[in-house]
Amino acid sequence: PTIQHCHELEDQVVALCAQLELVEAQHDSAEVHVVFATREIAILHNQANCCSEKQAKQGRRINTSAHVMTLDEGLREAQKERAKRDEKERKKAERRAKKDAVDQENLIYVFIGSLGSKNKTELQDLASILSLSIAGTKANLQQHIEDEFEKRPKLKDEAQFLGLFKRSQK
């Protein structure tokens, strides 16, 4: 190393020492603020719990669970709490999605009444379940559905279609 390089390093050391002194002063100041804040919390806690003898006799107490922490500790704790909350919400959303999926799988619409009594929307729903086109007039939909049941007569015995063909006994 050259002499000039050594002088540059000495200058950097001096600058770093000045920065260190400043950081130490800020740290000491922060510690003093922590002490004052802790005392203030204790005073407020005491005032809240012992406002008057009358309230003390009534048994009304205010419980606090405050503690003082540094900025870094607070930031880390807040990040941990946020991560826990986000994880909890994610798991809740997953459970809800699974439940909705199961509900959707178990959802069976049971058709009752004759095809002639159905409106166009109901006929479109039925056509959709039978994998038929939902386009056309009410009469066209009804004819396509009747044709499908003629082609596949076993459909008439399925639980969701029984009500279309079986008359209830009164």
Side-chain angles (χ1 to χ4, degrees):
T2 64
I3 295 176
Q4 183 177 355
H5 184 62
C6 288
H7 287 301
E8 289 173 2
L9 290 175
E10 285 177 355
D11 291 343
Q12 287 178 354
V13 168
V14 169
L16 289 174
C17 287
Q19 282 182 336
L20 178 62
E21 283 182 34
L22 178 64
V23 168
E24 286 176 343
Q26 288 174 340
H27 180 264
D28 292 342
S29 175
E31 284 184 342
V32 169
H33 284 289
V34 167
V35 170
F36 282 128
T38 304
R39 287 182 183 168
E40 185 67 23
I41 289 171
I43 290 168
L44 292 172
H45 187 256
N46 189 34
Q47 286 175 352
N49 285 329
C50 299
C51 289
S52 68
E53 288 181 25
K54 183 178 179 183
Q55 285 181 346
K57 288 180 184 177
Q58 292 174 351
R60 184 169 185 241
R61 288 185 65 85
I62 298 172
N63 294 318
T64 61
S65 59
H67 66 280
V68 178
M69 60 181 72
T70 65
L71 181 61
D72 289 336
E73 289 173 336
L75 182 60
R76 281 192 301 274
E77 191 165 318
Q79 288 171 340
K80 285 180 187 177
E81 290 296 321
R82 180 173 289 129
K84 284 181 188 177
R85 189 173 54 247
D86 290 346
E87 180 66 16
K88 187 176 181 180
E89 288 177 13
R90 186 188 62 76
K91 286 181 180 179
K92 187 177 179 181
E94 282 179 5
R95 284 192 305 271
R96 190 178 317 116
K98 283 181 183 178
K99 183 182 181 296
D100 289 347
V102 167
D103 289 348
Q104 204 60 24
E105 287 176 8
N106 294 333
L107 182 65
I108 297 176
Y109 185 82
V110 177
F111 294 94
I112 56 172
S114 68
L115 286 176
S117 68
K118 303 288 181 221
N119 63 34
K120 183 176 180 179
T121 305
E122 291 172 322
L123 291 172
Q124 287 174 328
D125 291 342
L126 183 53
S128 175
I129 289 173
L130 293 170
S131 300
L132 300 173
S133 171
I134 61 170
T137 64
K138 178 183 173 185
N140 289 346
L141 287 170
Q142 185 175 346
Q143 187 60 48
H144 291 306
I145 292 169
E146 288 172 355
D147 291 345
E148 187 66 22
F149 281 114
E150 290 297 319
K151 287 181 200 173
R152 300 181 353 193
K154 290 187 178 183
L155 285 176
K156 292 180 180 182
D157 296 329
E158 288 188 15
Q160 76 182 110
F161 304 122
L162 270 177
L164 294 171
F165 304 103
K166 304 284 185 198
R167 298 280 181 206
S168 62
Q169 303 293 324
K170 288 190 178 182

